[in-house]
Structures are given as C-alpha cells and as structure tokens.
C-alpha cells in the first residue's frame, strides 16, 4: 500500500503525474450508528492514509471533524467509550442539560425537540476539535439543512462547532440551530452521505453510509418512535440510491448497523462490535483500487 506508484495521467485522466493516489472521505449521518465510522478512521490510520479532504453530515460531521483535527481512530474510540460508553455518566450529563424552566419547555407551543444540541456538544466534544474550520488540519465540509430555505447548505469556514451542532440537530430531538441568522437542522435530511462534495478533490473518494433501515419483521408492530425514525431512514436511503445512480464514489460501504436505533448512544461498544466487518471491506476495496493505480 505504501510503495511508490507511477500514474500515467493520460490513461487515468488524473492531473497527478506520480506518487500515491490521494483519498477523501465522506462520513454519513445516522446518529449512534455513526460509531461505525471509527473503524474507517482506524483502518486509514493502519494503512498510513491521511485524507486530503473530508465531508460529513450529522454524526459524520462530528467524526470527520475529529479526524480533521488530528485525532487518530484509536483516540476517537477511547474517547467515545470513556465518555458515552458509561450509561450513568451519559444519562447524568444529558439530564443536567435538559430545559429547566417551564417557559423554555413550552416555548413555541410544543414539547418535542427541546434539547439544545449546542450545549450538549460543548459538554461532549473532545477539546482538540477547534472552534473554527480554519484551524483544522484537513479541509472539511459539513452539510446542514436550511429549514425555511428548504435546501442544503455546506459550511466550510467560520464557526466549526456551530456547523457541527446544526448538522447533528435531529428533528424532534434537538432544537434547530441558528447559523448566520438562519435556522438549520440535521444535514442528513437533505444529504445523508455527502460524497459528491469531494468530487475532484482527491483521486479516490470513499463514502460511508450508516443510515441503516428499519429492522424487524411483520411479527413486530413498529412503535411510534420506530415509525418516526424509520420513515426518516427510508427517505434518506431513497436519496442515497438516486445519488449512487448518478455519480457513485470510488468506494461505498454500508456497515452493519440497522439493528441499532439512532439514539442508541448507550450502545457504543455494541455498535463497534457489530460493524467491525467493515474494516476488511475497506481494506479489500482499497487494495483493489491501489492495484489498479499500480
């Protein structure tokens, strides 16, 4: 994987005359299922591959920013399990961040989606993640959804933590986030795996889909919560399917995460165990592509 590779730009169409092909990674959204992204980062570390560009949506924005800030996959794994793998500590932190005033709870006339994602992320994000995009080691793009603008918005400069919070603001769970005076919500709503943002930025583009899908069979009647999040999964998978037909990335992987719910943050270890097979999938895919470049 690390030998010098010669690339004939006339044959490949690439602008890069020699050296190893560059890699860019799109980390998709999926709530707690996104812990599977840790495997991707660890494998790239093992192979000595440092992406030249990153894009992310929702949990993918968090994982991508951690990598872009210089964290290795092992560091992200350890931090995740220490911070989120302890049920009591996680529940305690989230409970302390709940709305405490009646006026806050009833603001806007509804009771769902009252958690302030910006406050939660300030309590949970690693300190190494900077406050501004410009301080990241790897250029990063974060997708958010402009609620009233009914459109995708891509953030790549300025307030990084504000963009991460907006991209992770799952509807009905978290409040929308103000970005430059506009209300933004979960970036995965419009773009679950933003691999097309990396087109032309690297020789090899990797897309990781952790959206999953409704899990079960007709013997299990879905609950209201399962219907809410399951319908969102189906919508996002339809978006991904259309994008794959148009311009798929060089590598597209779907870790085994469908059995987990979007809010299964207590189950970080279980998600990592269930999705470990994606490690070999990524290695085999990269072996094949690098062999082609040789």
């Amino acid at each position: 994987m690390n030998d010098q590779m010669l690339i004939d730009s006339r044959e490949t169409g690439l602008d890069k005359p020699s050296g190893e092909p560059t890699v860019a990674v799109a980390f998709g959204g999926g709530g707690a299922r996104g812990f599977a992204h840790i495997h991707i980062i660890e494998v790239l570390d093992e192979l000595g591959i440092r992406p030249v560009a990153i894009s992310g949506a929702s949990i993918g924005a968090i994982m991508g920013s951690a990598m872009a800030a210089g964290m290795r996959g092992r560091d992200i794994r350890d931090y995740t399990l220490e911070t989120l793998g302890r049920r009591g500590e996680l529940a305690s932190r989230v409970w302390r961040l709940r709305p405490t005033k009646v006026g806050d709870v009833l603001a806007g006339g509804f009771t769902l989606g009252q958690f302030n994602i910006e406050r939660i992320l300030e309590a949970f994000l690693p300190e190494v993640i900077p406050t501004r995009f410009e301080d990241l080691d790897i250029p990063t793009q974060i997708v958010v959804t402009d609620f009233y603008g009914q459109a995708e918005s891509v953030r790549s400069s300025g307030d990084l933590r504000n963009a991460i919070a907006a991209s992770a603001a799952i509807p009905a769970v978290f409040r929308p986030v103000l970005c430059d005076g506009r209300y933004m919500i979960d970036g995965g709503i419009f773009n679950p795996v933003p691999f097309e943002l990396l087109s032309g930025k690297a020789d090899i583009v990797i897309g990781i889909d952790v959206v999953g899908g409704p899990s079960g069979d007709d013997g299990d009647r879905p609950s209201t919560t399962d219907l809410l999040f399951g319908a969102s999964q189906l919508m996002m998978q339809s978006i991904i399917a259309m994008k794959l037909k148009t311009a798929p990335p060089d590598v597209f992987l779907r870790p085994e995460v469908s059995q987990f719910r979007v809010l299964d943050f207590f189950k970080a270890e279980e998600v990592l165990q269930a999705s470990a097979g994606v490690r070999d999938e990524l290695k085999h895919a990269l072996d094949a592509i690098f062999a082609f470049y040789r």
Side-chain angles (χ1 to χ4, degrees):
M1 290 293 290
N2 290 319
D3 352 332
Q4 186 72 10
M5 301 177 186
L6 299 178
I7 303 173
D8 188 333
S9 60
R10 291 169 298 179
E11 293 181 3
T12 63
L14 298 173
D15 214 7
K16 189 168 178 267
S18 64
E20 294 186 353
T22 54
V23 172
V25 187
F27 295 101
R33 296 181 289 261
F35 291 140
H37 288 316
I38 293 173
H39 293 302
I40 305 303
I41 299 171
E42 288 179 330
V43 168
L44 293 177
D45 289 341
E46 291 173 17
L47 299 178
I49 297 173
R50 192 70 174 160
V52 296
I54 288 172
S55 65
S58 197
I59 186 73
I62 297 173
M63 293 294 177
S65 295
M67 186 182 197
M71 293 184 74
R72 294 179 60 82
R74 186 77 229 184
D75 300 330
I76 300 172
R77 176 189 287 264
D78 291 343
Y79 184 87
T80 298
L81 294 179
E82 289 172 9
T83 307
L84 300 177
R86 299 174 183 173
R87 182 183 293 267
E89 180 177 349
L90 175 57
S92 176
R93 289 193 185 198
V94 171
W95 180 252
R96 290 197 302 268
L97 292 168
R98 77 194 188 285
T100 56
K101 297 179 181 178
V102 174
D104 291 339
V105 174
L106 299 180
F110 61 96
T111 57
L112 292 176
Q114 291 298 329
F115 282 111
N116 185 328
I117 184 65
E118 290 182 280
R119 289 184 62 204
I120 290 173
L121 288 180
E122 284 304 313
F124 284 100
L125 282 182
E127 291 184 5
V128 69
I129 296 180
T131 57
R132 299 187 63 79
F133 280 92
E134 290 78 6
D135 294 324
L136 292 172
D137 297 335
I138 301 172
T140 300
Q141 299 178 86
I142 291 176
V143 176
V144 299
T145 299
D146 186 330
F147 185 73
Y148 290 119
Q150 305 174 33
E152 166 190 299
S153 177
V154 180
R155 322 292 291 187
S156 58
S157 63
D159 193 331
L160 172 63
R161 292 191 170 220
N162 175 252
I164 293 174
S167 189
I170 302 170
V173 178
F174 301 113
R175 300 175 185 175
V177 175
L178 274 174
C179 293
D180 297 331
R182 299 195 64 83
Y183 282 109
M184 303 291 183
I185 62 172
D186 189 348
I189 297 296
F190 249 84
N191 198 341
V193 190
F195 51 78
E196 75 285 353
L197 299 182
L198 302 175
S199 178
K201 297 183 182 296
D203 303 325
I204 301 168
V205 174
I206 302 171
I208 310 299
D209 172 18
V210 293
V211 170
S215 180
D217 55 47
D218 288 335
D220 302 316
R221 181 176 179 177
S223 67
T224 300
T225 302
D226 289 337
L227 286 170
L228 175 65
F229 290 113
S232 178
Q233 286 176 292
L234 294 174
M235 176 196 68
M236 289 190 280
Q237 287 295 358
S238 70
I239 294 172
I240 294 170
M242 288 188 289
K243 288 175 43 172
L244 289 174
K245 289 180 181 178
T246 304
D250 301 286
V251 178
F252 187 77
L253 300 174
R254 284 188 165 121
E256 292 291 333
V257 292
S258 288
Q259 65 270 43
F260 300 100
R261 293 181 171 87
V262 68
L263 298 180
D264 276 344
F265 291 104
F266 295 132
K267 299 182 179 180
E269 184 65 48
E270 291 94 325
V271 174
L272 285 167
Q273 289 177 358
S275 58
V278 76
R279 303 173 69 93
D280 286 337
E281 291 182 50
L282 178 58
K283 289 177 182 178
H284 293 156
L286 289 176
D287 278 343
I289 292 178
F290 274 63
F292 166 79
Y293 275 95
R294 292 191 185 100

